[in-house]
Amino acid sequence: MCGIFGYIGEEDPLENCLAGLEQLEYRGYDSTGIAGIAKGKIALCKETGKLSKLKEKLTLSGLEVAIGHTRWATHGKVTHSNAHPHLDAQETIALVHNGIIENYASLKKQLQGEGVIFLSETDTEVIAQLISRHYAGDLVAAVQKALSLLKGHFAIALIHKDHPDQIVAAARESPLSIGIDEKCTEVMISSDPNAFLGRTLNVLFLRNGEIAKVQKGKIEIFDSEKRPLDKKTERLDGSYTAPSKEGFEHFMLKEIYEQPSTIQKAILGRFEEGQVQFEELPKGLKKAPAVCFVGCGTSAHAGAIGALFLEEFAHIPAHAEIASEVRYRIFPRNTLIVAISQSGETADTIAAVREIKGRGFKVLGLCNVKNSTLTREVDASLFLKAGPEMSVCSTKAFTSQIAVLYLFALYMAQSGSIDELQKIPSQLQQVFEQVPLIQKISQKYSRYEDFFFMGRRYMLPTCMEAALKLKEISYVNANGYPAGELKHGPIALIDPHFPVIAFCANRQTEEKILNNLQEVKARGAPILALAPDHLKAISQIADDVIWLPSASDALSPFASTVAGQLLAYHIAKERGCEIDQPRNLAKSVTVE
């Protein structure tokens, strides 16, 4: 999930590379680095930590070309030696890499047997050393020979001191885009085309082991056998507004408060003449006999809610699967697959899509980012229209996902109304009125290290999502669990030091959730309930209650989710945790 950026052109390569890395830091911030060529030598600067630390130490100047990297650690600890870019033993090549080389250990052992000395624990250094061993004057040929020996998926960009006029890039099953300006004066390389925003470029995407030789205003593409290819470009609009916290302390808090607006955007223009309209979708979709939702993390939770929507409204069998596991499953014939990813770059989801499409299934994408890998792989896409989400901890994307999935269920049902859905933004404003109470409750619960989140039916994936938010940014053990399953083992953990956070906004299961809470209350657990304002009985059981506006079961996840996000945010703030960029995480997970 690392970020790659490269620049060659008439402007300053270093400044352009830094600007590109700023847009890619969401992909990883364990370390950052930049390499270039100056006066016939490789010039390199890298640091552990965020890009701001690199900027403090940066002494590079006079670069003719530059490549940069933001790292999310896979192979090797977070150390200076493991930071990218990596050099070969002779310091003739500098290389950056996103992905995983599965056979790096055997290749490394072979190279060590030939006398090559390694300075890092990474799989990336193996690529640099391997290309160096095959180099005989033609850099593209050396890359082609080296890549033929690699197993796994990757995107790479590299420079060679003897070729200051070029960057060589390649990709296999990992995204890599190349943009060239209309005047052919500069070329940029990025693992995310959205890093090009602010410029008008013609962009192409590498895949299937393709190799690019990039020079100032010129791009040559070769297949894995080094045969020339003619690839089409796509125009990328240059309009761009730099993200701003707009007075909020963190991007996460700003994005929580944006949700009334982003939900309205998700709905806008998609309901006409009494029916949901999705012009993007192919005909015949409504005849699918079953639907499987595929995603990771937050997107998987959205898929679980989407499956409940589809069964309730369209009476179509539906279920949700974790993307990293779904490729091993068998589906009934003609099952429609709905792949969900905020970024459209989630490696597990994209790998699942490719596997499933290879079996002949139709795949629909649900995504927030145009020009992403997912949108290029699926048969059709529905966009969230939520705008950029800067915090690693997803908030507005999740509620936009479930808003679009609600519409999708009505679309598949060929009936229904969105009147209740249109009331959700005003209900969220009522949740925001509870912030002083949530802050007070957060002070009380911030001292605990273990939590059970529990719910039933619609509240099960909702409580799982809330637990994920808390563990992501507060670094506490928080587990979302079916309320009815608690007594089948996990209740053994319950004691006065193990609070239970109960999501109670499902009318169909109100009596059962109250009984489940009595069970944990009898074991002395502190109880915090997120409950609809009509459920007065909860106040006799719970120690604390966050009251929510009542809604139908299907729409209850919205208010409950936002309350859970605010709870996680304020607990993290009380604990003094990094909120927008929590440790060990990255916004876009581009490795399996």
Side-chain angles (χ1 to χ4, degrees):
M1 61 188 76
C2 307
I4 291 172
F5 198 87
Y7 180 89
I8 186 168
E10 294 182 351
E11 297 183 12
D12 184 354
L14 178 60
E15 292 301 318
N16 276 275
C17 208
L18 284 170
L21 292 182
E22 287 177 355
Q23 300 298 319
L24 294 172
E25 195 169 17
Y26 72 90
R27 283 177 169 254
Y29 32 86
D30 289 333
S31 62
T32 57
I34 291 178
I37 300 174
K39 298 179 180 179
K41 294 182 179 181
I42 296 290
L44 173 67
C45 185
K46 55 185 182 179
E47 288 292 330
T48 56
K50 299 180 181 180
L51 184 60
S52 57
K53 286 189 63 178
L54 178 71
K55 289 180 177 179
E56 292 173 1
K57 302 289 182 68
L58 208 53
T59 57
L60 303 178
S61 63
L63 301 185
E64 299 176 63
V65 62
I67 56 174
H69 191 268
T70 63
R71 183 180 187 231
W72 185 82
T74 55
H75 295 67
K77 297 178 182 179
V78 180
T79 64
H80 185 274
S81 60
N82 288 333
H84 296 220
H86 285 284
L87 307 179
D88 65 321
Q90 292 75 38
E91 298 188 0
T92 60
I93 290 172
L95 181 143
V96 291
H97 165 226
N98 174 37
I100 291 176
I101 306 304
E102 296 172 359
N103 62 333
Y104 87 99
S106 60
L107 291 171
K108 183 174 183 177
K109 184 177 181 180
Q110 177 185 332
L111 289 166
Q112 286 174 325
E114 297 173 5
V116 176
I117 297 174
F118 284 79
L119 301 179
S120 78
E121 304 167 280
T122 68
D123 54 347
T124 304
E125 189 181 358
V126 170
I127 310 174
Q129 303 284 18
L130 202 58
I131 293 172
S132 179
R133 298 294 275 185
H134 286 283
Y135 177 72
D138 186 335
L139 190 55
V140 172
V143 171
Q144 185 269 327
K145 290 176 183 176
L147 299 193
S148 68
L149 302 174
L150 302 180
K151 294 180 181 179
H153 58 273
F154 52 78
I156 63 170
L158 66 143
I159 53 176
H160 192 289
K161 72 177 186 66
D162 294 340
H163 302 276
D165 62 335
Q166 65 184 254
I167 303 172
V168 175
R172 181 196 297 164
E173 306 298 338
S174 286
L176 198 65
S177 51
I178 304 174
I180 183 170
D181 68 320
E182 292 183 330
K183 295 181 180 179
C184 295
T185 61
E186 59 183 359
V187 182
M188 282 167 272
I189 298 169
S190 177
S191 46
D192 183 347
N194 288 289
F196 299 149
L197 292 176
R199 298 175 182 267
T200 298
L201 299 173
N202 294 311
V203 180
L204 59 83
F205 302 91
L206 296 184
R207 57 182 301 173
N208 301 329
E210 292 170 347
I211 303 170
K213 179 181 178 181
V214 176
Q215 296 174 288
K216 189 182 298 183
K218 181 181 179 182
I219 307 170
E220 297 176 79
I221 308 296
F222 306 90
D223 67 11
S224 59
E225 300 298 323
K226 204 174 172 284
R227 294 180 294 240
L229 294 175
D230 183 19
K231 287 184 73 77
K232 294 182 179 180
T233 60
E234 300 177 22
R235 185 178 175 83
L236 184 70
D237 192 348
S239 59
Y240 174 69
T241 301
S244 167
K245 294 177 186 175
E246 298 177 9
F248 288 93
E249 188 172 351
H250 297 93
F251 277 112
M252 180 181 175
L253 189 61
K254 169 180 173 281
E255 288 157 6
I256 289 173
Y257 275 89
E258 285 179 338
Q259 288 174 105
S261 173
T262 53
I263 290 170
Q264 287 177 326
K265 289 178 182 178
I267 301 169
L268 188 64
R270 285 173 162 167
F271 193 84
E272 297 177 6
E273 299 178 357
Q275 285 195 328
V276 175
Q277 305 288 338
F278 283 129
E279 295 181 358
E280 310 96 318
L281 300 185
K283 295 179 180 179
L285 203 67
K286 297 173 183 177
K287 297 180 181 179
V291 177
C292 176
F293 295 91
V294 175
C296 301
T298 290
S299 294
H301 298 153
I305 294 174
L308 294 173
F309 287 157
L310 207 64
E311 292 192 342
E312 179 170 346
F313 300 134
H315 306 293
I316 296 174
H319 69 289
E321 294 281 355
I322 301 297
S324 56
E325 295 294 325
V326 72
R327 69 191 72 177
Y328 312 115
R329 304 300 301 275
I330 297 174
F331 307 109
R333 187 179 179 184
N334 297 323
T335 296
L336 173 66
I337 309 299
V338 181
I340 308 173
S341 169
Q342 187 280 138
S343 67
E345 303 295 351
T346 309
D348 289 315
T349 303
I350 292 167
V353 166
R354 289 168 176 162
E355 167 71 22
I356 292 166
K357 283 198 70 176
R359 298 188 219 162
F361 291 92
K362 293 290 184 183
V363 181
L364 170 65
L366 186 62
C367 188
N368 195 36
V369 182
K370 293 183 178 181
N371 300 310
S372 60
T373 301
L374 179 66
T375 62
R376 299 194 301 272
E377 295 280 348
V378 297
D379 296 292
S381 297
L382 293 177
F383 290 99
L384 305 180
K385 301 188 284 189
E389 190 176 60
M390 303 306 295
S391 177
V392 167
C393 189
S394 181
T395 52
K396 65 178 182 177
F398 177 73
T399 51
S400 291
Q401 284 171 343
I402 58 178
V404 175
L405 289 170
Y406 187 94
L407 293 175
F408 177 69
L410 297 183
Y411 174 84
M412 296 294 281
Q414 303 184 57
S415 64
S417 167
I418 65 166
D419 290 348
E420 282 192 276
L421 181 61
Q422 289 178 315
K423 296 177 183 177
I424 292 300
S426 63
Q427 290 189 349
L428 298 190
Q429 295 294 349
Q430 296 177 51
V431 177
F432 295 146
E433 293 172 5
Q434 299 288 322
V435 165
L437 172 63
I438 293 172
Q439 289 177 312
K440 184 177 179 180
I441 288 173
S442 297
Q443 291 173 355
K444 174 181 176 180
Y445 285 86
S446 63
R447 64 186 177 88
Y448 293 102
E449 297 294 329
D450 300 286
F451 292 82
F452 261 127
F453 284 64
M454 58 186 253
R456 285 177 175 265
R457 201 165 179 249
Y458 281 103
M459 290 296 99
L460 173 57
T462 304
C463 84
M464 293 175 69
E465 172 62 13
L468 178 61
K469 298 302 97 168
L470 185 62
K471 72 179 72 173
E472 279 183 316
I473 60 173
S474 295
Y475 315 146
V476 298
N477 175 37
N479 293 299
Y481 220 78
E485 281 291 294
L486 210 62
K487 59 184 175 290
H488 294 289
I491 201 168
L493 297 172
I494 293 296
D495 64 24
H497 305 290
F498 208 133
V500 170
I501 315 295
F503 282 66
C504 307
N506 198 98
R507 289 176 182 267
Q508 187 181 17
T509 59
E510 280 179 356
E511 290 185 5
K512 294 184 181 297
I513 196 78
L514 291 175
N515 289 333
N516 297 139
L517 286 176
Q518 292 284 16
E519 294 164 2
V520 298
K521 186 179 181 67
R523 274 76 182 176
I527 297 173
L528 168 60
L530 283 69
D533 49 22
H534 70 267
L535 192 61
K536 302 304 181 184
I538 198 74
S539 60
Q540 303 301 314
I541 303 172
D543 299 280
D544 300 283
V545 182
I546 298 172
W547 295 106
L548 307 173
S550 294
S552 67
D553 283 1
L555 292 173
S556 60
F558 287 96
S560 297
T561 290
V562 173
Q565 293 168 352
L566 288 165
L567 181 69
Y569 173 84
H570 287 290
I571 288 178
K573 189 176 177 183
E574 283 292 324
R575 293 172 65 90
C577 298
E578 171 63 75
I579 290 177
D580 281 335
Q581 295 181 327
R583 70 187 185 200
N584 301 336
L585 297 178
K587 184 67 177 172
S588 181
V589 184
T590 60
V591 295
E592 293 185 75

